[in-house]
């Protein structure tokens, strides 16, 4: 965004400085600014337009053949074909440099120079040639001997003009450069007055006389239909004409000889509109474009125009040298052009719409996609096939950076077209999947053609799969399948005429993506599950945080609680508590990765209650970086929240089972009511703690852990593994009443567990304390059960049913 803002401000400054002395209005200034900003922003490569280079060589080939240099043209074609067989990145730049360095190659290039460059040795035995004879007899010292005389035309002679080009002395006549026809060959001798006068008379309509009459058809120069046809054909080819001005508007001083004025005007207006729409395409092919997919579109338009021009030339040929009976009329011309103009008009309409969306670099390809679908639905078969082919050709060029990303996990430097980008800051390896690569977006919209949005995640993940596999040294393990073709025959196969283009393209493109995505995803998933041991890491987390191994959890908790009750002010020493955890879990997990963090400052600032102290005891398990992609830091905090609840339940049970609770009070046989009330409170607290532990172990943890194992096996890719684990953590936390919706209920549960500490603490007013404990316990249980029933009714799901089950279990213990 900083780059876009800086580029925008610089563009504003540039446009304002250029227009400082002009009277351009605000709307025009804004349009110019948007056009300049779009051009600068999409200028991703600053590379030579390979299509322009290709067209230049095609034009050079045509010029060579027109000038009777077929030998040189054949040699050029042969070497271009050999060069295309071994493509290299910088070929367009090298060829463009050679074109810039060339100086009139049509006339100055000599075929024998090529043979000298290749150390050419003509085949066959040596023979005597005229060059050798000339050297021996001294003829080569007289250059005028071989010069061709040139005879100029004059009024005193009747000779035809001769070729005025001097020939070059050579004995290799079969390899010499032949000079083609020049303009002098077309000069009509003035001696043939009849032919000369007929030509002048046939063309005199081009210089119309001033009008001498008034009216709609008065003073018009009548033009025969054959000349009108030629003018229209030239107009459609983008050439200057006499009957139409530079803006393709028909000139009012001309009229077709056999048509009334209104009919002539209507026909000319139709052809004028057609030429204007085709001129939009011709102007686009002459514009300078830098984005590769736009260059491809430009090349497609140029080739379609070339096909159209060839068709116009064939009409010319049919009229000039007819083969049999030919009807030369405006109606027959309309019939010949009927199937050609409709697709070109559709293409022209797309360009006009694109120019109205200068800020969207993908407007060309998006409108091609939309108009192809519209043409199919409208039954315009030829236009549909025409646009579909152009769209697929342009889309295949756009796919080049996508293919590089999905095949090699690489991004082109300074690429502003592809929608995947990489941050420049250094990140931890575990953040590669979630933070290093991200989607490029503009105004909340993905920086890509709109029809690619459904496939964007798979494209992104395919490249990230390769990046991660490369860092794990497993990229060679990917078994890539053959890439399916994305051509017109694959996207729109025969027999699929009833299927919509959007569905056909989506199916073919999904097949193309899956050929690259499925193999890398399966390889990375297998690597995480097997070589990186993701299931083992999850088991370690369950043992440490969810206390799935009861023996190890009891050993750790008992040793920790003894330190808490020892009244040692340094009970919360992190190293000592970590040593307790290492001893308890030594045979179950890699204890080198386990530490216990205790927030000493918080413990000293808060009260001495066990809940306040234990809330600041945190388990830390250092996961391998590859596993950190699946188990995020947020998930670890949720594990820690569950560990805190389980630790509090064990702390309450530990307090209630201490022998001094049974023997510290009432050493005589008096105060039986107080003793009965004490045991009643103790029994209810033990029952409450036991119900919560049973609920968590049997209804929350066990089924969710089993479901996690099954879901991990069926996950498709890394995103699937992350989603499965995040879902597991969220379900466990919510079903354990630790979600945000149950905050009051969770607070009431912890307050009830704290009653064990109150019951355990001696007091001079023991009876009042016991009565307060019982009253508070009953009050809390009623609040908890009613609250759970209420939220269970509000959420009709498996989670709600478990809350309702917990409420029923607690309610059964209320007298």
């Amino acid at each position: 965004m900083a780059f876009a803002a800086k580029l925008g401000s610089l563009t504003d400054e540039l446009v304002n400085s250029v227009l400082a002395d002009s009277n351009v209005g605000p709307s025009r200034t804004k349009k110019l600014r948007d056009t300049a900003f779009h051009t600068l922003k999409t200028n991703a490569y600053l590379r030579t337009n390979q299509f322009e280079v290709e067209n230049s060589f095609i034009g050079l080939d045509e010029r060579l053949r027109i000038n009777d240099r077929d030998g040189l043209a054949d040699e050029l074609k042969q070497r271009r074909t050999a060069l295309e067989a071994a493509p290299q990145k910088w070929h367009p730049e090298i060829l463009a440099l050679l074109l810039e360095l060339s100086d009139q190659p049509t006339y100055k290039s000599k075929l024998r120079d090529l043979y000298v460059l290749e150390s050419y040795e003509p085949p066959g035995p040596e023979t005597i040639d005229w060059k050798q004879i000339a050297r021996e007899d001294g003829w080569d010292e007289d250059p005028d001997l071989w010069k061709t005389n040139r005879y100029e035309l004059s009024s005193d002679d009747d000779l035809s003009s001769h070729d005025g080009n001097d020939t070059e002395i050579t004995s290799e006549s079969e390899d010499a450069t032949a000079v083609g026809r020049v303009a002098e060959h077309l000069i009509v001798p003035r001696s043939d007055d009849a032919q000369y006068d007929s030509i002048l008379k046939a063309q005199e309509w081009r210089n119309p006389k001033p009008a001498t009459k008034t009216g709609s058809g008065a003073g018009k120069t009548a033009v025969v239909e054959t000349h009108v046809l030629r003018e229209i054909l030239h107009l459609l080819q983008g050439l200057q004409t006499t009957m139409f001005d530079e803006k393709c508007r028909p000139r009012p001083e001309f009229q077709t000889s056999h048509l009334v004025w209104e009919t002539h005007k209507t026909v000319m207006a139709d052809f004028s509109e057609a030429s204007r729409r085709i001129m939009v395409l011709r102007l686009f092919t002459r514009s300078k474009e830098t984005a590769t997919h736009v260059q491809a579109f430009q090349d497609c338009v140029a080739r379609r125009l070339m096909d159209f021009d060839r068709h116009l030339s064939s009409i010319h040929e049919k009229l000039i040298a007819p083969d049999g009976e030919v009807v030369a009329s405006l109606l027959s011309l309309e019939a010949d052009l009927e199937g050609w103009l409709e697709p070109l008009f559709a293409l022209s309409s797309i360009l006009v719409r694109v120019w109205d969306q200068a800020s969207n670099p993908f407007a060309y390809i998006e409108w091609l996609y939309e108009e192809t679908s519209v043409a199919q639905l409208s039954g315009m078969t030829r236009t549909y096939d025409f646009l579909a082919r152009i769209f697929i050709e342009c889309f295949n060029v756009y796919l080049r950076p996508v293919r590089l990303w999905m095949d090699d996990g690489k991004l082109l430097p300074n690429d502003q077209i592809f929608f995947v980008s990489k941050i420049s800051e250094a990140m931890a390896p575990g953040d590669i999947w979630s933070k290093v690569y991200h989607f490029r977006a503009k105004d909340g919209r993905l920086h890509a053609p709109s029809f690619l949005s459904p496939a964007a995640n798979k494209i992104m993940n395919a490249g990230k799969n390769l990046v991660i596999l490369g860092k794990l040294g497993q990229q060679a393990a990917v078994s890539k399948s053959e890439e399916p073709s994305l051509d017109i025959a694959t996207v729109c196969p025969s027999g699929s005429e009833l299927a919509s283009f959007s569905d056909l393209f989506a199916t073919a493109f999904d097949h193309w993506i899956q050929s690259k995505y499925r193999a890398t995803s399966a390889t990375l998933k297998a690597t995480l599950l097997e070589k990186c041991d993701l299931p083992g890491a999850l088991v370690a987390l369950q043992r440490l945080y969810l206390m799935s191994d009861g023996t190890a959890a009891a050993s750790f908790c008992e040793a920790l609680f003894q330190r808490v009750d020892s009244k040692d002010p340094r009970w919360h020493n992190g190293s000592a508590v970590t040593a307790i955890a290492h001893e308890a879990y030594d045979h179950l997990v890699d204890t080198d990765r386990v530490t216990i963090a205790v927030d000493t400052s918080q413990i000293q600032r808060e009260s001495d209650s066990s809940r306040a102290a234990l809330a600041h005891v945190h388990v830390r398990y250092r996961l391998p970086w590859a596993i950190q992609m699946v188990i995020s830091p947020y998930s670890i905090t949720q594990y820690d929240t569950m560990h805190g609840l389980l630790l509090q339940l064990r702390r309450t049970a530990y307090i209630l089972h201490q022998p001094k609770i049974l023997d510290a009070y009432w050493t005589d046989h008096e105060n039986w009511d107080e003793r009965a009330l004490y045991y009643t409170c103790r029994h209810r607290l033990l029952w409450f703690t036991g119900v919560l532990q049973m609920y968590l172990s049997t209804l929350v943890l066990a089924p969710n852990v089993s479901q996690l194992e099954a879901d991990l096996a069926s996950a498709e890719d890394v995103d699937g593994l992350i989603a499965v684990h995040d879902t597991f953590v969220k379900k466990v936390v919510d079903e354990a009443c630790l979600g945000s919706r149950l905050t009051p209920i969770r607070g009431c549960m912890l307050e009830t567990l704290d009653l064990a500490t109150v019951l355990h603490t001696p007091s001079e007013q023991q009876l009042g304390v016991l009565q307060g404990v019982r009253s508070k316990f009953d009050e809390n249980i009623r609040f908890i059960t009613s609250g759970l029933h209420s939220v269970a009714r509000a959420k009709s799901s498996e989670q709600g049913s478990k809350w309702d089950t917990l409420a029923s279990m607690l309610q059964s213990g209320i007298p």
Side-chain angles (χ1 to χ4, degrees):
M1 297 302 291
F3 169 79
K6 184 177 180 180
L7 181 61
S9 62
L10 292 174
T11 305
D12 291 339
E13 184 179 352
L14 173 63
V15 173
N16 292 333
S17 63
V18 172
L19 301 179
D21 299 331
S22 60
N23 297 324
V24 179
S27 60
R28 177 63 176 167
T29 301
K30 182 178 184 301
K31 186 174 182 180
L32 292 173
R33 185 263 180 199
D34 291 341
T35 303
F37 180 78
H38 165 67
T39 302
L40 293 173
K41 188 172 182 181
T42 56
N43 192 9
Y45 300 101
L46 294 177
R47 294 283 306 279
T48 300
N49 188 340
Q50 58 183 339
F51 304 111
E52 289 184 357
V53 175
E54 180 70 16
N55 289 336
S56 298
F57 274 100
I58 293 174
L60 178 59
D61 184 277
E62 291 179 355
R63 289 196 300 274
L64 291 172
R65 297 186 188 279
I66 290 173
N67 287 275
D68 202 18
R69 308 293 304 275
D70 292 329
L72 196 60
D74 292 338
E75 292 292 340
L76 176 63
K77 182 178 180 181
Q78 177 183 349
R79 282 151 180 79
R80 285 178 53 221
T81 303
L83 191 64
E84 291 173 357
Q88 295 293 333
K89 178 180 180 181
W90 298 108
H91 278 174
E93 279 72 13
I94 297 172
L95 295 176
L97 176 61
L98 294 177
L99 287 173
E100 293 294 333
L101 294 175
S102 63
D103 181 19
Q104 300 182 11
T106 306
Y107 303 104
K108 295 186 177 181
S109 297
K110 299 179 179 61
L111 192 60
R112 67 171 179 268
D113 292 342
L114 179 62
Y115 297 146
V116 172
L117 182 64
E118 295 181 349
S119 300
Y120 176 77
E121 296 181 4
E126 283 193 26
T127 57
I128 298 177
D129 54 23
W130 286 107
K131 184 183 293 186
Q132 183 178 352
I133 296 174
R135 284 198 305 267
E136 293 175 355
D137 295 347
W139 299 350
D140 58 338
E141 297 177 0
D142 185 9
D144 293 336
L145 181 65
W146 302 101
K147 184 177 296 184
T148 301
N149 292 329
R150 176 171 179 164
Y151 302 94
E152 300 292 344
L153 291 177
S154 67
S155 58
D156 299 326
D157 55 46
D158 192 27
L159 298 176
S160 300
S161 91
H162 292 270
D163 186 0
N165 292 328
D166 295 338
T167 59
E168 199 176 83
I169 302 175
T170 178
S171 61
E172 301 176 39
S173 59
E174 66 276 8
D175 295 328
T177 302
V179 179
R181 297 178 65 190
V182 295
E184 293 178 355
H185 291 132
L186 304 178
I187 296 177
V188 177
R190 288 296 301 270
S191 59
D192 190 354
D193 293 334
Q195 183 180 5
Y196 185 76
D197 292 341
S198 66
I199 294 175
L200 291 179
K201 184 176 181 180
Q203 301 298 323
E204 66 181 359
W205 65 270
R206 296 185 184 276
N207 300 305
K209 298 179 181 179
T212 58
K213 300 179 182 180
T214 59
S216 60
K220 307 297 181 183
T221 299
V223 185
V224 297
E225 192 166 16
T226 54
H227 287 317
V228 174
L229 290 175
R230 183 174 60 180
E231 290 287 295
I232 292 174
L233 290 173
H234 286 166
L235 176 70
L236 293 176
Q237 286 180 309
L239 304 176
Q240 292 184 354
T241 63
T242 304
M243 295 186 65
F244 299 87
D245 61 16
E246 65 277 0
K247 295 184 178 180
C248 304
R249 295 173 300 194
R251 296 182 184 274
E253 56 266 30
F254 299 102
Q255 180 177 348
T256 307
S257 58
H258 69 288
L259 297 179
V260 298
W261 172 247
E262 294 300 329
T263 304
H264 165 83
K265 186 169 65 173
T266 301
V267 172
M268 293 299 104
D270 291 341
F271 284 111
S272 172
E273 177 62 22
S275 66
R276 277 196 296 268
R277 299 180 73 172
I278 294 175
M279 185 58 67
V280 171
L281 302 178
R282 299 189 186 278
L283 292 175
F284 174 66
T285 59
R286 301 167 192 166
S287 63
K288 187 72 174 179
E289 300 292 343
T290 54
T292 54
H293 64 286
V294 182
Q295 289 177 352
F297 181 52
Q298 200 174 30
D299 179 66
C300 289
V301 174
R303 285 189 281 112
R304 268 60 180 188
L305 284 176
M306 187 179 298
D307 293 340
F308 179 63
D309 289 343
R310 289 196 185 99
H311 179 66
L312 295 178
S313 298
S314 68
I315 298 176
H316 272 294
E317 182 181 2
K318 182 175 65 174
L319 295 176
I320 294 173
D323 184 12
E325 295 184 358
V326 176
V327 178
S329 67
L330 293 172
L331 290 178
S332 65
L333 179 61
E334 289 182 348
D336 288 338
L337 297 176
E338 182 179 2
W340 288 83
L341 293 179
E342 181 184 276
L344 293 174
F345 288 170
L347 204 55
S348 176
S349 300
I350 290 174
L351 283 175
V352 173
R353 294 177 183 177
V354 167
W355 288 338
D356 293 336
Q357 298 179 348
S359 59
N360 183 5
F362 307 107
Y364 292 106
I365 202 165
E366 287 180 351
W367 277 113
L368 274 172
Y369 179 82
E370 294 294 333
E371 290 301 313
T372 302
S373 300
V374 170
Q376 182 196 32
L377 295 175
S378 303
M380 297 184 292
T381 306
R382 179 158 185 164
T383 302
Y384 164 62
D385 181 74
F386 180 84
L387 295 179
R389 291 178 183 275
I390 295 178
F391 168 77
I392 291 172
E393 290 178 25
C394 296
F395 184 69
N396 274 286
V397 174
Y398 172 79
L399 280 184
R400 289 176 182 175
V402 179
R403 183 181 289 106
L404 178 66
W405 171 248
M406 298 184 74
D407 285 346
D408 302 324
K410 297 179 181 179
L411 297 174
L412 293 173
N414 302 321
D415 180 20
Q416 298 296 322
I417 298 299
F418 189 30
F419 58 82
V420 175
S421 62
K422 178 183 179 180
I423 63 173
S424 57
E425 294 84 0
M427 301 291 292
D431 294 330
I432 293 177
W433 187 268
S434 59
K435 297 181 180 179
V436 173
Y437 298 96
H438 60 89
F439 289 115
R440 183 181 283 115
K442 180 181 179 182
D443 300 329
R445 181 179 180 271
L446 183 67
H447 187 68
S450 56
F451 55 82
L452 277 189
S453 297
N457 280 324
K458 288 187 177 180
I459 294 174
M460 166 77 87
N461 289 349
K464 291 196 294 185
N465 289 339
L466 291 170
V467 173
I468 301 299
L469 287 171
K471 291 188 174 295
L472 292 172
Q474 298 295 317
Q475 194 166 5
V478 179
S479 57
K480 296 182 179 179
S481 59
E482 183 180 356
E483 177 184 312
S485 175
L486 267 183
D487 53 17
I488 188 67
T490 304
V491 177
C492 304
S494 59
S496 61
E497 291 76 12
L498 297 180
S500 67
F501 176 75
S502 57
D503 291 340
L504 293 173
F505 173 76
T507 301
F509 188 53
D510 182 69
H511 188 205
W512 186 86
I513 288 179
Q514 290 296 343
S515 68
K516 303 175 178 297
Y517 170 76
R518 187 178 292 125
T520 58
S521 296
T523 303
L524 181 55
K525 177 188 171 183
T527 302
L528 291 175
L529 292 178
E530 298 170 7
K531 295 187 178 298
C532 299
D533 195 18
L534 174 60
L538 292 173
V539 170
L541 294 178
Q542 293 163 17
R543 288 171 175 171
L544 289 170
Y545 289 97
L546 305 183
M547 302 183 181
S548 60
D549 190 293
T551 303
S555 175
F556 169 72
C557 292
E558 184 174 352
L560 176 63
F561 299 153
Q562 287 175 359
R563 287 188 63 84
V564 174
D565 294 339
S566 65
K567 304 302 181 182
D568 184 356
R570 300 190 60 195
W571 73 265
H572 43 66
N573 179 270
S575 299
V577 179
T578 299
I580 294 174
H582 286 183
E583 183 179 356
Y585 295 103
D586 182 48
H587 60 292
L588 298 175
V589 300
D590 182 2
T591 54
D592 291 337
R593 298 180 178 273
V594 180
T595 57
I596 305 297
V598 183
D599 194 343
T600 306
S601 59
Q602 290 291 337
I603 291 176
Q604 293 173 349
R605 282 197 299 266
E606 295 183 3
S607 62
D608 294 333
S609 69
S610 61
R611 181 174 65 168
L614 296 177
H616 302 295
V617 177
H618 306 285
V619 179
R620 297 287 183 263
Y621 184 71
R622 183 169 51 85
L623 294 166
W625 71 265
I627 304 301
Q628 292 177 25
M629 297 188 304
V630 178
I631 304 174
S632 64
Y634 175 76
S635 298
I636 296 298
T637 61
Q638 299 300 303
Y639 274 106
D640 198 49
T641 302
M642 275 297 301
H643 180 264
L645 176 60
L646 295 173
L647 193 64
Q648 180 63 40
L649 289 173
R650 287 186 175 271
R651 173 62 174 168
T652 301
Y654 175 82
I655 292 174
L656 293 175
H657 284 93
Q658 289 300 303
K660 59 183 177 181
I661 295 181
L662 302 176
D663 304 330
Y665 311 121
W666 312 296
T667 54
D668 54 13
H669 296 286
E670 300 177 357
N671 303 319
W672 288 102
D673 293 338
E674 293 183 16
R675 297 180 68 178
L677 183 58
Y678 162 76
Y679 282 111
T680 300
C681 293
R682 176 178 176 273
H683 170 73
R684 291 192 175 187
L685 287 171
L686 284 172
W687 166 83
F688 177 74
T689 304
V691 168
L692 288 182
Q693 287 179 323
M694 182 177 65
Y695 168 75
L696 291 175
S697 61
T698 59
L699 295 180
V700 176
L701 296 178
N704 282 316
V705 168
S706 299
Q707 186 64 43
L708 172 65
E709 295 173 354
D711 292 343
L712 286 176
S714 61
E716 183 180 12
D717 53 15
V718 175
D719 275 347
L721 295 175
I722 295 173
V724 166
H725 182 260
D726 288 348
T727 301
F728 162 76
V729 172
K730 187 177 186 306
K731 285 185 66 177
V732 167
V733 168
D734 288 343
E735 291 174 6
C737 304
L738 297 176
S740 58
R741 296 183 60 185
L742 301 185
T743 299
I745 297 175
R746 179 176 68 255
C748 191
M749 287 180 176
L750 296 178
E751 185 181 11
T752 304
L753 295 177
D754 262 354
L755 292 177
T757 304
V758 176
L759 185 66
H760 172 71
T761 304
S763 174
E764 296 180 358
Q765 303 294 328
Q766 192 65 35
L767 180 60
V769 171
L770 294 174
Q771 290 174 343
V773 168
R774 178 173 180 176
S775 174
K776 189 64 176 176
F777 178 85
D778 293 341
E779 178 185 346
N780 287 351
I781 291 296
R782 283 191 290 270
F783 177 79
I784 292 171
T785 55
S786 62
L788 288 173
H789 280 308
S790 177
V791 294
R793 287 192 297 269
K795 189 167 186 177
S796 56
S797 62
E798 180 185 3
Q799 190 178 92
S801 64
K802 289 186 178 181
W803 289 339
D804 192 64
T805 301
L806 176 59
S808 300
M809 293 169 64
L810 293 175
Q811 207 166 18
S812 64
I814 301 177

